[in-house]
Amino acid sequence: MAGNVQSCGHSTQLGVRGCRSESNLVRCILIATALMFLTLVLVLPLVLIFATAFSRGIGVYVSAFSDPDALSAIRLTLLTAAVAVPLNTVFGVCAAWAIAKFEFCGKNILITLIDLPFAVSPVIAGLIFVILFGSWGFFGNWLFAHNIQIIFAKPGIIIATVFITFPFVARELIPLMQAQGSEEEQSAIVLGAGAWQIFRRVTLPNIKWGLLYGVILCNARAMGEFGAVSVVSGHIRGLTNTMPLHLEILYNEYNFAAAFAIASMLTFLALITLVLKSLIEWRSARHLALEKQEV
Amino acid sequence: MLQVRNKKRVLPGFGMTMGFTLVYLSLMVLIPLAGLFIMSSRMSWSDFLDKAVFDPRVLAAYRLSFSSAFMAAFVNAVFGFIVAWVLVRYRFWGKRLVDALVDLPFALPTAVSGIALTTLYATTGWVGNLLEPFGISVAYTSSGIVVALILIGLPFAVRTVQPAMEDMEIELEEAATSLGATRLQVLARVIGPSILPSILSGFTLAFARGIGEFGSVYFIAGNMPMKTEIAPLLIIIKLEQYDALGAAAIGVVMLVTSFCMIFIINMLQFWSRRYQ
């Protein structure tokens, strides 16, 4: 396999063009088509977000964040991420450890079940928790009797977000740890290391970049979730609005500058996520190349 | 077999991690999803069909959701192929940036892409402005929904095709060319068949995501009953009308559709692995 890859890179570099390359014209047309398409669906929206956010000056931009409703939305968003991300990170590490380091039957079914929240519509993710905890839901009466409110309150928002971001860390780690195998951990055991020591000294250094990316992506999604949160929130201003929900209210009130100011902050978060992802990929590619050289 | 048993004994933590995984998975995902099915099992069959299938407004919403998701997935399959091709095979200035940008819809909140696309494609927006003289309106119509779903599904289409293209063996193409095949013949007979499974699974992933998508579509659709009202939105409307059973019935239909999609995707991935 390695030989193939090498010869492929080799022949293109030497300029054996006839077999694998199109004429320059076709090449240019294809590149132009791809770039045009990406500009229309990705780049223009991105530019528009920042342009609109600052369209009425920096003063309006800043005041969009000093509004008490906006502040409470930011606080709730941070709280939601602060609960959902650590929970799903611990789960992701546990699930990846159990799946990658051990053999058991039903493994593929388990992986499919972990991926399930990806396939479920965000609205349905909200719906299932309304059905469980809503006033006419399964636990509705019990919750009412004990004066606990989950739906149309903060706990509902957090639970729905946990569901939506459930697979992110696990999904990054499982293939990574499966590819790495468990020889290193086995040697650590032979050398007398304990369980926690093995994880901290052997496994964690190996998976840290994948783990970091999973956590970042999970965080971006937790802060940006709209559909599921919108079903369970009840849209109470200053109480149960997250940043995306606050953005919706501003937008529907035709307060575009403020809406896009909030949007620009969420976009900034998404861009940081992408930069980190590229850095991590670049690092791991370099790491692989170095390993290959050593071999 | 012996090795497998050894592995199980050597490394610690199987019981604890597996136990936590199963408990957490059940509590957060399986039991809540089961609740939806239990809720809808309280309805009789005819009641369920009335609410989930035979209501004209619901039918119109399904039709819209499925057809827009299908069209968006198709556009993504075509352009996703071109983008992946360009990224894998050519060198051009800013390629790394373009490659990173493809993942943007994964990281960008759907509500943000929703309001951005709506503002862009409204008749007063940068692009909508240019389309208006031709009588094309995108925002607040069903084509707006397709545009939103193209953005949402794009990374799926590109990222499933890209690795398959990277893994293709150059020797096959060289052999075909040296036997006298033209470039188009190589594309149709050599490259096409070996990456078809990944194109199809990218299509299916984008389609599945498009059916359930809410945030971005909600802003651009205009949400008129019977015309631009997607199925997920109808669930929210039913909930607001305190029609929990109606919401659950639509939810069950959509959930079962998603399960079928997962099954198809798994089959496609199994198929594409056989090719490698």
Side-chain angles (χ1 to χ4, degrees), chain A residues 102-134:
Chain A
F102 302 94
E103 292 303 324
F104 54 91
C105 64
K107 191 187 262 192
N108 284 328
I109 297 175
L110 183 63
I111 294 177
T112 308
L113 288 178
I114 289 174
D115 271 347
L116 213 51
F118 273 151
V120 174
S121 166
V123 171
I124 294 181
L127 172 71
I128 55 177
F129 292 108
V130 174
I131 284 177
L132 280 186
F133 303 121

PDB file of all heavy atoms in Angstrom, chain A residues 102-134:
ATOM      1  N   PHE A 102     -10.897  -3.819  23.601  1.00  0.00           N
ATOM      2  CA  PHE A 102     -11.413  -5.148  23.937  1.00  0.00           C
ATOM      3  C   PHE A 102     -12.244  -5.700  22.799  1.00  0.00           C
ATOM      4  O   PHE A 102     -12.759  -4.941  21.981  1.00  0.00           O
ATOM      5  CB  PHE A 102     -12.266  -5.083  25.213  1.00  0.00           C
ATOM      6  CG  PHE A 102     -11.530  -4.551  26.395  1.00  0.00           C
ATOM      7  CD1 PHE A 102     -11.587  -3.203  26.713  1.00  0.00           C
ATOM      8  CD2 PHE A 102     -10.760  -5.381  27.184  1.00  0.00           C
ATOM      9  CE1 PHE A 102     -10.885  -2.694  27.804  1.00  0.00           C
ATOM     10  CE2 PHE A 102     -10.059  -4.882  28.267  1.00  0.00           C
ATOM     11  CZ  PHE A 102     -10.124  -3.542  28.573  1.00  0.00           C
ATOM     12  N   GLU A 103     -12.329  -7.034  22.776  1.00  0.00           N
ATOM     13  CA  GLU A 103     -13.179  -7.681  21.777  1.00  0.00           C
ATOM     14  C   GLU A 103     -14.444  -8.161  22.460  1.00  0.00           C
ATOM     15  O   GLU A 103     -14.392  -8.774  23.522  1.00  0.00           O
ATOM     16  CB  GLU A 103     -12.452  -8.887  21.162  1.00  0.00           C
ATOM     17  CG  GLU A 103     -11.259  -8.524  20.305  1.00  0.00           C
ATOM     18  CD  GLU A 103     -11.604  -7.586  19.167  1.00  0.00           C
ATOM     19  OE1 GLU A 103     -12.701  -7.727  18.601  1.00  0.00           O
ATOM     20  OE2 GLU A 103     -10.786  -6.702  18.864  1.00  0.00           O
ATOM     21  N   PHE A 104     -15.578  -7.881  21.884  1.00  0.00           N
ATOM     22  CA  PHE A 104     -16.837  -8.424  22.409  1.00  0.00           C
ATOM     23  C   PHE A 104     -17.828  -8.463  21.270  1.00  0.00           C
ATOM     24  O   PHE A 104     -17.656  -7.770  20.253  1.00  0.00           O
ATOM     25  CB  PHE A 104     -17.365  -7.595  23.581  1.00  0.00           C
ATOM     26  CG  PHE A 104     -17.501  -6.139  23.279  1.00  0.00           C
ATOM     27  CD1 PHE A 104     -18.702  -5.626  22.784  1.00  0.00           C
ATOM     28  CD2 PHE A 104     -16.432  -5.263  23.485  1.00  0.00           C
ATOM     29  CE1 PHE A 104     -18.826  -4.273  22.502  1.00  0.00           C
ATOM     30  CE2 PHE A 104     -16.557  -3.910  23.204  1.00  0.00           C
ATOM     31  CZ  PHE A 104     -17.748  -3.416  22.715  1.00  0.00           C
ATOM     32  N   CYS A 105     -18.868  -9.285  21.422  1.00  0.00           N
ATOM     33  CA  CYS A 105     -19.796  -9.359  20.304  1.00  0.00           C
ATOM     34  C   CYS A 105     -20.799  -8.213  20.401  1.00  0.00           C
ATOM     35  O   CYS A 105     -21.049  -7.676  21.477  1.00  0.00           O
ATOM     36  CB  CYS A 105     -20.496 -10.715  20.260  1.00  0.00           C
ATOM     37  SG  CYS A 105     -21.521 -11.028  21.664  1.00  0.00           S
ATOM     38  N   GLY A 106     -21.326  -7.814  19.255  1.00  0.00           N
ATOM     39  CA  GLY A 106     -22.252  -6.695  19.231  1.00  0.00           C
ATOM     40  C   GLY A 106     -21.549  -5.352  19.185  1.00  0.00           C
ATOM     41  O   GLY A 106     -22.154  -4.312  19.416  1.00  0.00           O
ATOM     42  N   LYS A 107     -20.242  -5.374  18.885  1.00  0.00           N
ATOM     43  CA  LYS A 107     -19.484  -4.123  18.873  1.00  0.00           C
ATOM     44  C   LYS A 107     -20.010  -3.152  17.809  1.00  0.00           C
ATOM     45  O   LYS A 107     -20.191  -1.967  18.079  1.00  0.00           O
ATOM     46  CB  LYS A 107     -18.020  -4.446  18.607  1.00  0.00           C
ATOM     47  CG  LYS A 107     -17.105  -3.294  18.834  1.00  0.00           C
ATOM     48  CD  LYS A 107     -15.699  -3.612  18.403  1.00  0.00           C
ATOM     49  CE  LYS A 107     -14.847  -4.035  19.562  1.00  0.00           C
ATOM     50  NZ  LYS A 107     -13.413  -4.078  19.213  1.00  0.00           N
ATOM     51  N   ASN A 108     -20.271  -3.693  16.616  1.00  0.00           N
ATOM     52  CA  ASN A 108     -20.746  -2.802  15.542  1.00  0.00           C
ATOM     53  C   ASN A 108     -22.105  -2.203  15.865  1.00  0.00           C
ATOM     54  O   ASN A 108     -22.373  -1.055  15.526  1.00  0.00           O
ATOM     55  CB  ASN A 108     -20.812  -3.556  14.212  1.00  0.00           C
ATOM     56  CG  ASN A 108     -19.424  -3.746  13.646  1.00  0.00           C
ATOM     57  OD1 ASN A 108     -18.558  -2.904  13.850  1.00  0.00           O
ATOM     58  ND2 ASN A 108     -19.211  -4.854  12.967  1.00  0.00           N
ATOM     59  N   ILE A 109     -22.935  -3.009  16.523  1.00  0.00           N
ATOM     60  CA  ILE A 109     -24.251  -2.483  16.909  1.00  0.00           C
ATOM     61  C   ILE A 109     -24.074  -1.348  17.906  1.00  0.00           C
ATOM     62  O   ILE A 109     -24.718  -0.300  17.808  1.00  0.00           O
ATOM     63  CB  ILE A 109     -25.124  -3.608  17.511  1.00  0.00           C
ATOM     64  CG1 ILE A 109     -25.358  -4.675  16.442  1.00  0.00           C
ATOM     65  CG2 ILE A 109     -26.444  -3.062  18.033  1.00  0.00           C
ATOM     66  CD1 ILE A 109     -26.104  -5.879  16.931  1.00  0.00           C
ATOM     67  N   LEU A 110     -23.150  -1.544  18.842  1.00  0.00           N
ATOM     68  CA  LEU A 110     -22.901  -0.502  19.850  1.00  0.00           C
ATOM     69  C   LEU A 110     -22.426   0.790  19.181  1.00  0.00           C
ATOM     70  O   LEU A 110     -22.897   1.886  19.506  1.00  0.00           O
ATOM     71  CB  LEU A 110     -21.866  -0.996  20.864  1.00  0.00           C
ATOM     72  CG  LEU A 110     -21.571  -0.024  22.013  1.00  0.00           C
ATOM     73  CD1 LEU A 110     -22.803   0.222  22.853  1.00  0.00           C
ATOM     74  CD2 LEU A 110     -20.439  -0.540  22.885  1.00  0.00           C
ATOM     75  N   ILE A 111     -21.510   0.653  18.203  1.00  0.00           N
ATOM     76  CA  ILE A 111     -21.012   1.852  17.505  1.00  0.00           C
ATOM     77  C   ILE A 111     -22.158   2.554  16.776  1.00  0.00           C
ATOM     78  O   ILE A 111     -22.284   3.779  16.825  1.00  0.00           O
ATOM     79  CB  ILE A 111     -19.886   1.467  16.516  1.00  0.00           C
ATOM     80  CG1 ILE A 111     -18.674   0.957  17.291  1.00  0.00           C
ATOM     81  CG2 ILE A 111     -19.488   2.664  15.656  1.00  0.00           C
ATOM     82  CD1 ILE A 111     -17.539   0.485  16.421  1.00  0.00           C
ATOM     83  N   THR A 112     -23.012   1.761  16.125  1.00  0.00           N
ATOM     84  CA  THR A 112     -24.157   2.356  15.424  1.00  0.00           C
ATOM     85  C   THR A 112     -25.075   3.079  16.401  1.00  0.00           C
ATOM     86  O   THR A 112     -25.553   4.183  16.121  1.00  0.00           O
ATOM     87  CB  THR A 112     -24.950   1.267  14.679  1.00  0.00           C
ATOM     88  OG1 THR A 112     -24.042   0.521  13.882  1.00  0.00           O
ATOM     89  CG2 THR A 112     -26.018   1.865  13.796  1.00  0.00           C
ATOM     90  N   LEU A 113     -25.303   2.476  17.573  1.00  0.00           N
ATOM     91  CA  LEU A 113     -26.182   3.105  18.564  1.00  0.00           C
ATOM     92  C   LEU A 113     -25.575   4.416  19.076  1.00  0.00           C
ATOM     93  O   LEU A 113     -26.292   5.393  19.296  1.00  0.00           O
ATOM     94  CB  LEU A 113     -26.432   2.153  19.739  1.00  0.00           C
ATOM     95  CG  LEU A 113     -27.340   0.964  19.446  1.00  0.00           C
ATOM     96  CD1 LEU A 113     -27.460   0.080  20.668  1.00  0.00           C
ATOM     97  CD2 LEU A 113     -28.723   1.436  19.006  1.00  0.00           C
ATOM     98  N   ILE A 114     -24.252   4.436  19.245  1.00  0.00           N
ATOM     99  CA  ILE A 114     -23.604   5.664  19.709  1.00  0.00           C
ATOM    100  C   ILE A 114     -23.769   6.775  18.675  1.00  0.00           C
ATOM    101  O   ILE A 114     -23.962   7.936  19.011  1.00  0.00           O
ATOM    102  CB  ILE A 114     -22.115   5.403  20.020  1.00  0.00           C
ATOM    103  CG1 ILE A 114     -21.997   4.550  21.273  1.00  0.00           C
ATOM    104  CG2 ILE A 114     -21.350   6.703  20.197  1.00  0.00           C
ATOM    105  CD1 ILE A 114     -20.596   4.110  21.600  1.00  0.00           C
ATOM    106  N   ASP A 115     -23.726   6.398  17.389  1.00  0.00           N
ATOM    107  CA  ASP A 115     -23.880   7.384  16.316  1.00  0.00           C
ATOM    108  C   ASP A 115     -25.322   7.865  16.133  1.00  0.00           C
ATOM    109  O   ASP A 115     -25.570   8.805  15.396  1.00  0.00           O
ATOM    110  CB  ASP A 115     -23.409   6.793  14.979  1.00  0.00           C
ATOM    111  CG  ASP A 115     -21.928   7.048  14.776  1.00  0.00           C
ATOM    112  OD1 ASP A 115     -21.379   7.862  15.525  1.00  0.00           O
ATOM    113  OD2 ASP A 115     -21.340   6.448  13.867  1.00  0.00           O
ATOM    114  N   LEU A 116     -26.254   7.181  16.788  1.00  0.00           N
ATOM    115  CA  LEU A 116     -27.673   7.430  16.552  1.00  0.00           C
ATOM    116  C   LEU A 116     -28.091   8.905  16.626  1.00  0.00           C
ATOM    117  O   LEU A 116     -28.789   9.384  15.728  1.00  0.00           O
ATOM    118  CB  LEU A 116     -28.495   6.598  17.542  1.00  0.00           C
ATOM    119  CG  LEU A 116     -29.843   6.078  17.076  1.00  0.00           C
ATOM    120  CD1 LEU A 116     -29.718   5.361  15.755  1.00  0.00           C
ATOM    121  CD2 LEU A 116     -30.420   5.135  18.122  1.00  0.00           C
ATOM    122  N   PRO A 117     -27.660   9.656  17.647  1.00  0.00           N
ATOM    123  CA  PRO A 117     -28.098  11.054  17.714  1.00  0.00           C
ATOM    124  C   PRO A 117     -27.744  11.884  16.484  1.00  0.00           C
ATOM    125  O   PRO A 117     -28.410  12.879  16.200  1.00  0.00           O
ATOM    126  CB  PRO A 117     -27.377  11.585  18.958  1.00  0.00           C
ATOM    127  CG  PRO A 117     -27.211  10.394  19.812  1.00  0.00           C
ATOM    128  CD  PRO A 117     -26.934   9.266  18.870  1.00  0.00           C
ATOM    129  N   PHE A 118     -26.704  11.487  15.723  1.00  0.00           N
ATOM    130  CA  PHE A 118     -26.388  12.187  14.479  1.00  0.00           C
ATOM    131  C   PHE A 118     -27.508  12.043  13.463  1.00  0.00           C
ATOM    132  O   PHE A 118     -27.738  12.931  12.653  1.00  0.00           O
ATOM    133  CB  PHE A 118     -25.123  11.611  13.853  1.00  0.00           C
ATOM    134  CG  PHE A 118     -23.877  12.240  14.365  1.00  0.00           C
ATOM    135  CD1 PHE A 118     -22.693  11.527  14.399  1.00  0.00           C
ATOM    136  CD2 PHE A 118     -23.878  13.551  14.811  1.00  0.00           C
ATOM    137  CE1 PHE A 118     -21.537  12.106  14.876  1.00  0.00           C
ATOM    138  CE2 PHE A 118     -22.724  14.132  15.282  1.00  0.00           C
ATOM    139  CZ  PHE A 118     -21.551  13.398  15.313  1.00  0.00           C
ATOM    140  N   ALA A 119     -28.175  10.892  13.487  1.00  0.00           N
ATOM    141  CA  ALA A 119     -29.159  10.604  12.451  1.00  0.00           C
ATOM    142  C   ALA A 119     -30.535  11.153  12.818  1.00  0.00           C
ATOM    143  O   ALA A 119     -31.420  11.204  11.979  1.00  0.00           O
ATOM    144  CB  ALA A 119     -29.237   9.098  12.227  1.00  0.00           C
ATOM    145  N   VAL A 120     -30.697  11.528  14.082  1.00  0.00           N
ATOM    146  CA  VAL A 120     -32.006  11.989  14.538  1.00  0.00           C
ATOM    147  C   VAL A 120     -32.120  13.493  14.296  1.00  0.00           C
ATOM    148  O   VAL A 120     -31.196  14.248  14.583  1.00  0.00           O
ATOM    149  CB  VAL A 120     -32.165  11.667  16.032  1.00  0.00           C
ATOM    150  CG1 VAL A 120     -33.441  12.251  16.577  1.00  0.00           C
ATOM    151  CG2 VAL A 120     -32.141  10.168  16.251  1.00  0.00           C
ATOM    152  N   SER A 121     -33.232  13.908  13.751  1.00  0.00           N
ATOM    153  CA  SER A 121     -33.466  15.341  13.531  1.00  0.00           C
ATOM    154  C   SER A 121     -33.429  16.084  14.866  1.00  0.00           C
ATOM    155  O   SER A 121     -33.947  15.597  15.867  1.00  0.00           O
ATOM    156  CB  SER A 121     -34.829  15.530  12.876  1.00  0.00           C
ATOM    157  OG  SER A 121     -35.211  16.874  12.949  1.00  0.00           O
ATOM    158  N   PRO A 122     -32.790  17.267  14.904  1.00  0.00           N
ATOM    159  CA  PRO A 122     -32.738  18.034  16.151  1.00  0.00           C
ATOM    160  C   PRO A 122     -34.125  18.262  16.755  1.00  0.00           C
ATOM    161  O   PRO A 122     -34.278  18.246  17.977  1.00  0.00           O
ATOM    162  CB  PRO A 122     -32.118  19.360  15.725  1.00  0.00           C
ATOM    163  CG  PRO A 122     -31.502  19.146  14.419  1.00  0.00           C
ATOM    164  CD  PRO A 122     -32.078  17.933  13.805  1.00  0.00           C
ATOM    165  N   VAL A 123     -35.112  18.460  15.905  1.00  0.00           N
ATOM    166  CA  VAL A 123     -36.462  18.695  16.407  1.00  0.00           C
ATOM    167  C   VAL A 123     -36.979  17.461  17.144  1.00  0.00           C
ATOM    168  O   VAL A 123     -37.612  17.566  18.199  1.00  0.00           O
ATOM    169  CB  VAL A 123     -37.396  19.076  15.245  1.00  0.00           C
ATOM    170  CG1 VAL A 123     -38.833  19.111  15.711  1.00  0.00           C
ATOM    171  CG2 VAL A 123     -37.002  20.427  14.689  1.00  0.00           C
ATOM    172  N   ILE A 124     -36.677  16.288  16.604  1.00  0.00           N
ATOM    173  CA  ILE A 124     -37.097  15.057  17.273  1.00  0.00           C
ATOM    174  C   ILE A 124     -36.339  14.893  18.582  1.00  0.00           C
ATOM    175  O   ILE A 124     -36.901  14.423  19.582  1.00  0.00           O
ATOM    176  CB  ILE A 124     -36.894  13.857  16.336  1.00  0.00           C
ATOM    177  CG1 ILE A 124     -37.850  13.997  15.157  1.00  0.00           C
ATOM    178  CG2 ILE A 124     -37.122  12.543  17.058  1.00  0.00           C
ATOM    179  CD1 ILE A 124     -37.794  12.894  14.173  1.00  0.00           C
ATOM    180  N   ALA A 125     -35.070  15.311  18.611  1.00  0.00           N
ATOM    181  CA  ALA A 125     -34.306  15.273  19.853  1.00  0.00           C
ATOM    182  C   ALA A 125     -35.007  16.102  20.922  1.00  0.00           C
ATOM    183  O   ALA A 125     -35.078  15.705  22.087  1.00  0.00           O
ATOM    184  CB  ALA A 125     -32.896  15.799  19.617  1.00  0.00           C
ATOM    185  N   GLY A 126     -35.547  17.254  20.537  1.00  0.00           N
ATOM    186  CA  GLY A 126     -36.300  18.052  21.493  1.00  0.00           C
ATOM    187  C   GLY A 126     -37.612  17.369  21.857  1.00  0.00           C
ATOM    188  O   GLY A 126     -37.980  17.288  23.029  1.00  0.00           O
ATOM    189  N   LEU A 127     -38.281  16.841  20.838  1.00  0.00           N
ATOM    190  CA  LEU A 127     -39.590  16.207  21.030  1.00  0.00           C
ATOM    191  C   LEU A 127     -39.536  15.068  22.047  1.00  0.00           C
ATOM    192  O   LEU A 127     -40.405  14.959  22.911  1.00  0.00           O
ATOM    193  CB  LEU A 127     -40.098  15.695  19.676  1.00  0.00           C
ATOM    194  CG  LEU A 127     -41.356  14.844  19.686  1.00  0.00           C
ATOM    195  CD1 LEU A 127     -42.563  15.701  20.010  1.00  0.00           C
ATOM    196  CD2 LEU A 127     -41.561  14.146  18.344  1.00  0.00           C
ATOM    197  N   ILE A 128     -38.490  14.215  21.964  1.00  0.00           N
ATOM    198  CA  ILE A 128     -38.463  13.063  22.859  1.00  0.00           C
ATOM    199  C   ILE A 128     -38.363  13.500  24.319  1.00  0.00           C
ATOM    200  O   ILE A 128     -38.940  12.857  25.190  1.00  0.00           O
ATOM    201  CB  ILE A 128     -37.324  12.070  22.513  1.00  0.00           C
ATOM    202  CG1 ILE A 128     -35.982  12.758  22.494  1.00  0.00           C
ATOM    203  CG2 ILE A 128     -37.582  11.387  21.186  1.00  0.00           C
ATOM    204  CD1 ILE A 128     -34.817  11.818  22.222  1.00  0.00           C
ATOM    205  N   PHE A 129     -37.685  14.628  24.576  1.00  0.00           N
ATOM    206  CA  PHE A 129     -37.590  15.054  25.968  1.00  0.00           C
ATOM    207  C   PHE A 129     -38.854  15.772  26.424  1.00  0.00           C
ATOM    208  O   PHE A 129     -39.196  15.734  27.602  1.00  0.00           O
ATOM    209  CB  PHE A 129     -36.330  15.910  26.170  1.00  0.00           C
ATOM    210  CG  PHE A 129     -35.086  15.093  26.022  1.00  0.00           C
ATOM    211  CD1 PHE A 129     -34.268  15.224  24.920  1.00  0.00           C
ATOM    212  CD2 PHE A 129     -34.774  14.125  26.970  1.00  0.00           C
ATOM    213  CE1 PHE A 129     -33.142  14.440  24.765  1.00  0.00           C
ATOM    214  CE2 PHE A 129     -33.654  13.330  26.824  1.00  0.00           C
ATOM    215  CZ  PHE A 129     -32.840  13.485  25.725  1.00  0.00           C
ATOM    216  N   VAL A 130     -39.561  16.400  25.488  1.00  0.00           N
ATOM    217  CA  VAL A 130     -40.866  16.955  25.848  1.00  0.00           C
ATOM    218  C   VAL A 130     -41.809  15.811  26.208  1.00  0.00           C
ATOM    219  O   VAL A 130     -42.580  15.895  27.168  1.00  0.00           O
ATOM    220  CB  VAL A 130     -41.441  17.791  24.685  1.00  0.00           C
ATOM    221  CG1 VAL A 130     -42.860  18.236  24.999  1.00  0.00           C
ATOM    222  CG2 VAL A 130     -40.577  19.009  24.439  1.00  0.00           C
ATOM    223  N   ILE A 131     -41.721  14.716  25.439  1.00  0.00           N
ATOM    224  CA  ILE A 131     -42.586  13.567  25.718  1.00  0.00           C
ATOM    225  C   ILE A 131     -42.252  12.947  27.067  1.00  0.00           C
ATOM    226  O   ILE A 131     -43.135  12.525  27.809  1.00  0.00           O
ATOM    227  CB  ILE A 131     -42.458  12.534  24.572  1.00  0.00           C
ATOM    228  CG1 ILE A 131     -43.241  13.039  23.368  1.00  0.00           C
ATOM    229  CG2 ILE A 131     -42.934  11.167  25.002  1.00  0.00           C
ATOM    230  CD1 ILE A 131     -43.148  12.161  22.172  1.00  0.00           C
ATOM    231  N   LEU A 132     -40.970  12.911  27.422  1.00  0.00           N
ATOM    232  CA  LEU A 132     -40.598  12.338  28.721  1.00  0.00           C
ATOM    233  C   LEU A 132     -40.963  13.263  29.874  1.00  0.00           C
ATOM    234  O   LEU A 132     -41.544  12.841  30.866  1.00  0.00           O
ATOM    235  CB  LEU A 132     -39.096  12.063  28.768  1.00  0.00           C
ATOM    236  CG  LEU A 132     -38.549  10.816  28.097  1.00  0.00           C
ATOM    237  CD1 LEU A 132     -37.068  10.700  28.407  1.00  0.00           C
ATOM    238  CD2 LEU A 132     -39.271   9.570  28.560  1.00  0.00           C
ATOM    239  N   PHE A 133     -40.603  14.543  29.762  1.00  0.00           N
ATOM    240  CA  PHE A 133     -40.668  15.425  30.922  1.00  0.00           C
ATOM    241  C   PHE A 133     -41.727  16.510  30.827  1.00  0.00           C
ATOM    242  O   PHE A 133     -41.884  17.294  31.755  1.00  0.00           O
ATOM    243  CB  PHE A 133     -39.299  16.105  31.133  1.00  0.00           C
ATOM    244  CG  PHE A 133     -38.168  15.142  31.296  1.00  0.00           C
ATOM    245  CD1 PHE A 133     -37.093  15.159  30.425  1.00  0.00           C
ATOM    246  CD2 PHE A 133     -38.176  14.210  32.324  1.00  0.00           C
ATOM    247  CE1 PHE A 133     -36.042  14.274  30.573  1.00  0.00           C
ATOM    248  CE2 PHE A 133     -37.129  13.318  32.477  1.00  0.00           C
ATOM    249  CZ  PHE A 133     -36.059  13.353  31.597  1.00  0.00           C
ATOM    250  N   GLY A 134     -42.441  16.599  29.676  1.00  0.00           N
ATOM    251  CA  GLY A 134     -43.439  17.656  29.535  1.00  0.00           C
ATOM    252  C   GLY A 134     -44.624  17.430  30.467  1.00  0.00           C
ATOM    253  O   GLY A 134     -44.738  16.383  31.109  1.00  0.00           O
TER     254      GLY A 134
END
